[in-house]
Amino acid sequence: MQFTAKDIAMLLNGTVEGDALVAVNQLAKIEEAQQGSLSFLANPKYEQFLYTTNASIVIVNNSQQLTAPVNSTLIRVENAYSAFTLLLEKYNTFKLYKEGIEQPSFIHETAKLGENAYVGAFAYIGQDVKLGNNCKVYPNCYIADNVTLGDNVTLFPGVVVYFDCVIGSNVTIHSGAIIGSDGFGFAPNADGSYTKIAQIGNVIIEDDVEIGSNATIDRATMGSTVIRKGAKIDNLVQVAHNAEVGNNTVIAAQSGISGSTKIGARVVVGGQVGFAGHLTIADGSQFGAQTGVNSSIKEADKQWGGTPYLPYKDYLRAHVNIRRLPDLEQRVRELENIIKDLKKDVQ
Amino acid sequence: MQFTAKDIAMLLNGTVEGDALVAVNQLAKIEEAQQGSLSFLANPKYEQFLYTTNASIVIVNNSQQLTAPVNSTLIRVENAYSAFTLLLEKYNTFKLYKEGIEQPSFIHETAKLGENAYVGAFAYIGQDVKLGNNCKVYPNCYIADNVTLGDNVTLFPGVVVYFDCVIGSNVTIHSGAIIGSDGFGFAPNADGSYTKIAQIGNVIIEDDVEIGSNATIDRATMGSTVIRKGAKIDNLVQVAHNAEVGNNTVIAAQSGISGSTKIGARVVVGGQVGFAGHLTIADGSQFGAQTGVNSSIKEADKQWGGTPYLPYKDYLRAHVNIRRLPDLEQRVRELENIIKDLKKDVQ
Amino acid sequence: MQFTAKDIAMLLNGTVEGDALVAVNQLAKIEEAQQGSLSFLANPKYEQFLYTTNASIVIVNNSQQLTAPVNSTLIRVENAYSAFTLLLEKYNTFKLYKEGIEQPSFIHETAKLGENAYVGAFAYIGQDVKLGNNCKVYPNCYIADNVTLGDNVTLFPGVVVYFDCVIGSNVTIHSGAIIGSDGFGFAPNADGSYTKIAQIGNVIIEDDVEIGSNATIDRATMGSTVIRKGAKIDNLVQVAHNAEVGNNTVIAAQSGISGSTKIGARVVVGGQVGFAGHLTIADGSQFGAQTGVNSSIKEADKQWGGTPYLPYKDYLRAHVNIRRLPDLEQRVRELENIIKDLKKDVQ
């Protein structure tokens, strides 16, 4: 897996400055790059590194001027950042390329695999499961009966999808994520014990969704828990039964969404945020890390923080005031003393 | 999997009103139901839906009176809600029915399976493991040496149970939950490093417990971490070594219980709550989401919230006061100004 | 697995007092011990238990004096606590002893196993993987292509290590932990959707690290996410892309470290703590449970608490003041009334 400056310049439609035959086998940041690495310079702030880097090849903008000698081979392109991002993607596609059916795996006779499938060893594909084209089911994944996957779905090792769930196209689910386990629903009995409420709904994950490692998304009691198109969910996030996550909404690690809460579109949720149940959250809302949301939000595109949550600015101001509390208490005590004296004077 | 109104009425000991041969193949809420669905009406608040629903069959109370024409076939029963819950259960039992030993699986020659066992492909059952009757061990589960399971235990795909743990009857553990991993115990050395303290205890899970996806329950250092009868633990909950969760206690997602803390019976814990170590929490305590509990609670049946926790009402009042802090500071400033003037007047 | 007092005394270089042939098969706390158990007494506070315990054998300090008759056989050693810890370790080593390659497992023809390896059934070892000596890869683990493990590494069942990650020696990773999944990196597009930023870096775990169940450690975008020598990470902890955890740093359950944050050495992090991204945290910092850290910390060895975080003492004081807020508000109201009267008097 070696590429010359010439190869890469052809791919990027760029021009080589320096040794066109120098070869690289990895990508690195310009300040950390070793010999054999390819890097890039887009931000003029980092120009200094261009003259000191050990990278064998550096991609630069066509407009980049040189103010000192450069040891690396340069590849000049219109937009160095975009060009490098393209290489990152190609590199990863190459690294992650897998196809074929490894043995032993378990594929039910009624399951339908699409074209170009990868099914890893010890993966389990149940009855009536349908996979679109170019799906990758890594080892130790479990896909229960009657699950449907669209095209270009990747399930990394150890993903579990319970029965009847529906997953769209271009979806990536990282290791250990659990899709469609039972919602947490129990009816209290007179003696203090609980009776389980059967959870017969499912989870629907629309296109272009990514779900992080060890995240949990519970099936609906009835109906569906829904993750809408383009949503991105980080590691260890909990989405409870009948909840909904809107289009292009982003949820950072360890946040939790309680049952039946509907998060709107374009919402940005920091880490360790919690939403109570049965809420509706307006589109474009933004939540600082560790926010606690205990009521619905109707106004779109506002920022929030704190537990219970406040408008973000009020939250910051409240915390400044909390720090000043000992000082405020002291001021009140002084006033009380002055007034005691004043009353004496006046009487 | 089609059932007619006549079939269902017989099962529920109800009477049919309308086409007794109409068939359904799914269950749905009355307001969302499509043709081919069975639904129910129990709460008079939703009576309007009875006249507009697309459900093919609706279960109603014997006492239900009709004030407009109905398109669906009705099944009249004594208690529509109970009847529907019964159907939910039967539906789920049917959907989740599995039996037999799938290949390849790993069952140690000394392991004892009970009657009517399901062992999925790629499941691992270690030395001297004992399973009661009607246990389901889904694919990719791992049951270590010397583990005992009671009757009617379901381990969904990817559950791990470390050695020596004991699980009672009627226990359900969802995918990715880890039972019996090492407690987090390390003794500090003089040079700043740590020496691991071997964790040789186990986890005991009593009857009628349900544990959510990706929850973690650590084994005791010595003795047992115990989850008592009827407790319900949600996804991504952490229970540390030597902790105890009481009878019929309910713990919502992402909460954590530190080492050696004993949670009483009938306790209700919201999401993302944290308990410090070595605490004792009284029976019937209730904790709002994100509460931080840093001391023992002796009084039973109280409600708590906030970090560090306060009586729930005090917590709410404190937060109202926090929001009013800028206002309070302003009032103090005004007093200071008035008093400055007063002092001048008096002097 | 039975040992006599004579056997154990020889192992510990101690002397037997009582029946040297009495046998034990388990270890227990002195106050919980049953017949057939071995226990220890180190702390004089618990001396009373020495006279009432059911333990068959108790290890005591040479200096221990007896003030009443003892039923157990005693083994006298220089340091009873150290001697017992040694036994705990030996016990656990014995319980956890595994070797050999179980079938079916998947070991790529290019993978290199060291001496004395254990590879459990349904474990997957990819292309060009290198294992040191005495490695244990339990069932259902997945080690992706080009991963390197040092000596004495244990991966409990269901651990996933993505491609290119590097793990040192004497590392223990508990079940369900995910090492090297993609960092949460997405570039926003003009239409509100996101484009994934390929994550081509890796995770480096140095020697003597322990990682808890269902923890997630994401690979770097470029370069490495690093867990330094001797760090201990508890269950359900999240470490994001390009973060770094310092030498001998300890992180309790459910805490999260955002992208590119560098945690120093000897840091102690309580449970459910959150760190924002791109921070640098000084060596020896200590954080109470549920702390929210939103800025870098330059001063070493300080204690912090609260959200947003404060010096620990200030945090405690602030919360005392919060509880007193209704009282403070009342004092201000009284001052306002007094002053209203005073002003009348003065005018």
Side-chain angles (χ1 to χ4, degrees):
Chain A
M1 198 180 171
Q2 291 243 109
F3 300 92
T4 65
K6 197 177 153 193
D7 297 335
I8 295 164
M10 269 181 60
L11 178 72
L12 299 176
N13 200 19
T15 54
V16 177
E17 241 171 69
D19 179 1
L21 296 180
V22 68
V24 291
N25 62 4
Q26 56 179 322
L27 307 177
K29 293 184 198 172
I30 191 165
E31 66 270 33
E32 297 174 350
Q34 301 301 315
Q35 220 181 323
S37 296
L38 177 144
S39 194
F40 77 106
L41 174 68
N43 188 336
K45 208 168 71 176
Y46 300 117
E47 183 180 334
Q48 58 185 106
F49 292 121
L50 186 55
Y51 310 114
T52 57
T53 185
N54 291 318
S56 298
I57 305 176
V58 182
I59 301 172
V60 298
N61 291 328
N62 280 333
S63 60
Q64 181 68 49
Q65 300 199 354
L66 304 180
T67 59
V70 166
N71 291 318
S72 318
T73 292
L74 301 185
I75 297 177
R76 289 187 176 275
V77 295
E78 195 53 38
N79 184 325
Y81 179 73
S82 300
F84 191 73
T85 303
L86 179 69
L87 285 184
L88 278 180
E89 271 179 52
K90 289 203 176 289
Y91 178 88
N92 226 10
T93 304
F94 181 86
K95 293 287 280 194
L96 291 172
Y97 188 75
K98 295 273 181 192
E99 66 170 349
I101 313 296
E102 292 175 354
Q103 292 303 339
S105 49
F106 184 106
I107 302 175
H108 195 278
E109 57 185 0
T110 58
K112 286 184 187 146
L113 308 185
E115 292 175 17
N116 198 30
Y118 169 57
V119 178
F122 321 124
Y124 187 106
I125 298 182
Q127 193 172 345
D128 294 322
V129 169
K130 287 183 201 70
L131 271 61
N133 296 325
N134 308 310
C135 285
K136 294 187 234 173
V137 179
Y138 274 77
N140 304 107
C141 283
Y142 176 82
I143 305 180
D145 299 347
N146 201 32
V147 166
T148 303
L149 272 62
D151 297 332
N152 309 312
V153 173
T154 297
L155 306 185
F156 281 104
V159 168
V160 173
V161 186
Y162 281 54
F163 63 99
D164 289 348
C165 291
V166 177
I167 297 180
S169 291
N170 309 313
V171 170
T172 297
I173 306 184
H174 282 280
S175 287
I178 312 297
I179 312 300
S181 46
D182 281 357
F184 196 62
F186 301 91
N189 301 318
D191 66 352
S193 69
Y194 291 87
T195 299
K196 182 177 175 73
I197 299 169
Q199 305 286 311
I200 68 155
N202 72 348
V203 174
I204 296 175
I205 296 178
E206 297 186 352
D207 297 348
D208 304 326
V209 167
E210 181 151 344
I211 293 176
S213 297
N214 285 344
T216 56
I217 303 183
D218 279 352
R219 70 193 310 103
T221 308
M222 280 196 286
S224 301
T225 304
V226 184
I227 312 296
R228 297 243 174 258
K229 184 172 155 64
K232 312 295 180 189
I233 293 180
D234 200 356
N235 299 347
L236 295 167
V237 166
Q238 149 79 352
V239 180
H241 48 177
N242 294 87
E244 187 176 318
V245 174
N247 284 351
N248 297 322
T249 281
V250 174
I251 302 179
Q254 298 176 318
S255 287
I257 300 170
S258 300
S260 300
T261 283
K262 313 286 183 211
I263 308 283
R266 296 177 298 105
V267 172
V268 176
V269 179
Q272 300 180 334
V273 171
F275 293 88
H278 297 275
L279 308 183
T280 302
I281 304 299
D283 293 349
S285 300
Q286 298 185 27
F287 299 91
Q290 298 185 325
T291 301
V293 187
N294 59 353
S295 62
S296 290
I297 295 177
K298 291 180 181 168
E299 227 183 331
D301 300 310
K302 299 290 176 193
Q303 298 184 302
W304 310 93
T307 298
Y309 75 112
L310 295 173
Y312 200 73
K313 278 182 189 164
D314 293 0
Y315 159 66
L316 291 182
R317 202 184 315 143
H319 273 272
V320 169
N321 280 305
I322 286 172
R323 296 181 72 156
R324 287 192 197 138
L325 267 177
D327 180 53
L328 185 66
E329 204 273 338
Q330 177 60 22
R331 285 162 64 190
V332 170
R333 193 176 311 139
E334 279 167 23
L335 285 174
E336 287 167 338
N337 289 334
I338 292 172
I339 282 188
K340 215 187 304 173
D341 292 347
L342 270 178
K343 280 174 77 174
K344 274 189 221 151
D345 290 351
V346 171
Q347 283 159 359
Chain B
M1 198 181 173
Q2 291 243 109
F3 300 90
T4 63
K6 196 177 155 196
D7 297 334
I8 296 165
M10 268 181 60
L11 178 72
L12 299 176
N13 199 20
T15 54
V16 178
E17 239 172 72
D19 179 0
L21 296 180
V22 68
V24 292
N25 62 4
Q26 56 181 321
L27 308 177
K29 292 185 200 172
I30 191 164
E31 67 271 33
E32 297 174 350
Q34 301 302 315
Q35 219 180 326
S37 296
L38 177 144
S39 195
F40 77 106
L41 174 70
N43 188 336
K45 208 168 71 176
Y46 300 118
E47 182 180 334
Q48 57 185 106
F49 292 122
L50 186 55
Y51 310 113
T52 57
T53 185
N54 291 318
S56 298
I57 306 176
V58 182
I59 301 173
V60 297
N61 291 328
N62 281 332
S63 60
Q64 181 69 48
Q65 301 198 354
L66 303 182
T67 59
V70 168
N71 292 318
S72 318
T73 293
L74 302 185
I75 298 177
R76 290 188 175 274
V77 296
E78 194 54 37
N79 183 325
Y81 179 74
S82 300
F84 191 72
T85 304
L86 179 69
L87 285 184
L88 277 181
E89 271 179 51
K90 289 203 175 288
Y91 178 87
N92 227 10
T93 304
F94 180 86
K95 293 288 280 194
L96 290 172
Y97 187 75
K98 295 273 181 192
E99 67 170 348
I101 313 296
E102 293 176 355
Q103 292 304 338
S105 50
F106 184 106
I107 302 176
H108 194 280
E109 58 184 359
T110 59
K112 285 183 189 146
L113 307 186
E115 292 174 17
N116 197 28
Y118 169 59
V119 178
F122 321 124
Y124 187 106
I125 298 182
Q127 194 172 343
D128 295 322
V129 169
K130 286 183 202 70
L131 270 63
N133 296 326
N134 307 311
C135 285
K136 294 187 231 172
V137 179
Y138 274 77
N140 304 107
C141 282
Y142 176 82
I143 305 180
D145 299 347
N146 201 33
V147 166
T148 303
L149 271 63
D151 296 332
N152 308 313
V153 173
T154 297
L155 306 185
F156 281 104
V159 167
V160 173
V161 185
Y162 281 55
F163 63 99
D164 289 349
C165 292
V166 177
I167 297 179
S169 291
N170 308 313
V171 169
T172 297
I173 305 184
H174 282 280
S175 287
I178 312 297
I179 311 300
S181 47
D182 280 358
F184 197 62
F186 301 92
N189 301 317
D191 67 353
S193 69
Y194 291 87
T195 298
K196 181 177 176 73
I197 298 168
Q199 306 286 310
I200 67 157
N202 72 348
V203 174
I204 295 175
I205 296 178
E206 297 186 350
D207 296 349
D208 304 326
V209 167
E210 181 149 344
I211 293 176
S213 298
N214 286 344
T216 56
I217 303 184
D218 280 351
R219 71 195 306 103
T221 309
M222 281 196 286
S224 300
T225 304
V226 184
I227 312 295
R228 296 243 174 258
K229 185 171 155 64
K232 312 296 180 189
I233 293 180
D234 200 357
N235 300 346
L236 296 166
V237 166
Q238 149 78 354
V239 180
H241 47 178
N242 294 87
E244 187 176 318
V245 174
N247 283 351
N248 296 323
T249 280
V250 174
I251 303 179
Q254 298 177 318
S255 286
I257 300 170
S258 300
S260 300
T261 283
K262 313 285 183 212
I263 309 282
R266 297 178 296 105
V267 172
V268 177
V269 179
Q272 300 181 335
V273 171
F275 293 87
H278 298 274
L279 308 183
T280 303
I281 305 299
D283 292 351
S285 300
Q286 298 186 26
F287 299 92
Q290 299 186 325
T291 300
V293 186
N294 59 353
S295 63
S296 290
I297 295 177
K298 291 180 181 167
E299 228 183 330
D301 299 310
K302 297 290 175 192
Q303 297 185 302
W304 311 92
T307 299
Y309 75 112
L310 296 173
Y312 201 73
K313 278 183 189 163
D314 293 0
Y315 159 65
L316 291 182
R317 201 185 316 144
H319 273 273
V320 169
N321 280 304
I322 286 172
R323 295 181 74 157
R324 287 192 196 138
L325 267 177
D327 179 52
L328 185 66
E329 205 272 338
Q330 177 59 23
R331 286 161 64 189
V332 171
R333 194 176 310 138
E334 278 167 23
L335 284 175
E336 286 167 340
N337 289 334
I338 293 172
I339 283 190
K340 216 187 305 173
D341 292 347
L342 270 178
K343 279 173 78 174
K344 274 190 222 149
D345 290 352
V346 171
Q347 280 159 1
Chain C
M1 198 181 174
Q2 290 242 109
F3 301 91
T4 64
K6 196 178 155 194
D7 298 335
I8 294 165
M10 269 182 60
L11 178 73
L12 299 176
N13 200 21
T15 53
V16 177
E17 242 172 70
D19 179 1
L21 296 180
V22 68
V24 292
N25 62 3
Q26 55 179 324
L27 308 176
K29 293 185 199 171
I30 192 165
E31 67 268 34
E32 298 175 350
Q34 301 301 315
Q35 219 180 326
S37 296
L38 177 144
S39 194
F40 77 107
L41 173 70
N43 189 335
K45 209 169 67 176
Y46 301 117
E47 183 180 334
Q48 57 186 106
F49 293 121
L50 187 54
Y51 310 115
T52 57
T53 186
N54 291 318
S56 298
I57 305 176
V58 182
I59 301 173
V60 298
N61 291 329
N62 281 332
S63 61
Q64 181 69 48
Q65 302 197 354
L66 303 181
T67 59
V70 167
N71 292 319
S72 319
T73 292
L74 301 185
I75 298 178
R76 290 187 174 274
V77 297
E78 195 53 39
N79 184 324
Y81 179 73
S82 300
F84 191 73
T85 304
L86 179 68
L87 285 184
L88 278 180
E89 270 178 53
K90 288 202 176 291
Y91 178 88
N92 226 9
T93 303
F94 181 86
K95 292 288 281 193
L96 290 172
Y97 188 75
K98 296 273 180 190
E99 66 171 347
I101 314 295
E102 292 176 354
Q103 292 304 338
S105 50
F106 183 105
I107 302 175
H108 194 278
E109 58 185 359
T110 59
K112 285 183 186 146
L113 307 186
E115 292 174 16
N116 197 29
Y118 169 58
V119 178
F122 321 124
Y124 186 107
I125 298 183
Q127 193 171 344
D128 294 323
V129 169
K130 286 182 201 72
L131 269 64
N133 296 325
N134 308 310
C135 285
K136 294 187 233 172
V137 179
Y138 274 76
N140 303 109
C141 283
Y142 176 83
I143 305 180
D145 299 347
N146 202 32
V147 166
T148 303
L149 271 64
D151 296 333
N152 309 312
V153 174
T154 297
L155 306 185
F156 281 104
V159 168
V160 173
V161 186
Y162 281 55
F163 63 99
D164 289 350
C165 291
V166 176
I167 296 179
S169 291
N170 310 313
V171 170
T172 298
I173 305 183
H174 282 280
S175 286
I178 311 297
I179 311 300
S181 46
D182 280 357
F184 197 61
F186 300 91
N189 300 318
D191 66 353
S193 70
Y194 291 88
T195 298
K196 181 177 175 73
I197 299 168
Q199 305 286 310
I200 68 156
N202 72 347
V203 174
I204 296 175
I205 296 178
E206 296 186 353
D207 296 349
D208 305 326
V209 167
E210 180 151 344
I211 293 176
S213 297
N214 285 345
T216 57
I217 302 184
D218 279 350
R219 68 195 308 104
T221 308
M222 280 197 285
S224 300
T225 304
V226 184
I227 312 296
R228 298 244 173 257
K229 185 172 155 65
K232 311 295 180 190
I233 293 179
D234 201 356
N235 299 347
L236 295 167
V237 166
Q238 148 79 352
V239 179
H241 47 177
N242 294 87
E244 187 176 317
V245 174
N247 283 352
N248 296 322
T249 280
V250 174
I251 303 178
Q254 297 177 317
S255 287
I257 300 171
S258 301
S260 300
T261 283
K262 313 286 184 212
I263 308 283
R266 298 177 295 105
V267 173
V268 177
V269 180
Q272 300 181 333
V273 171
F275 294 87
H278 298 274
L279 308 182
T280 303
I281 304 300
D283 292 351
S285 300
Q286 298 185 27
F287 298 91
Q290 298 186 324
T291 301
V293 186
N294 59 353
S295 62
S296 290
I297 294 177
K298 291 180 181 167
E299 228 183 329
D301 299 311
K302 297 289 175 193
Q303 297 185 303
W304 310 93
T307 299
Y309 75 113
L310 296 172
Y312 200 74
K313 278 182 189 163
D314 293 1
Y315 157 66
L316 291 182
R317 203 185 314 142
H319 273 272
V320 169
N321 280 304
I322 286 172
R323 296 181 73 156
R324 287 193 196 138
L325 267 177
D327 180 53
L328 185 66
E329 204 272 337
Q330 177 61 21
R331 285 160 65 189
V332 170
R333 194 176 310 139
E334 278 166 23
L335 284 174
E336 287 167 340
N337 289 334
I338 293 172
I339 283 190
K340 215 188 302 174
D341 293 347
L342 270 179
K343 280 173 76 174
K344 274 189 222 150
D345 290 351
V346 171
Q347 280 160 0

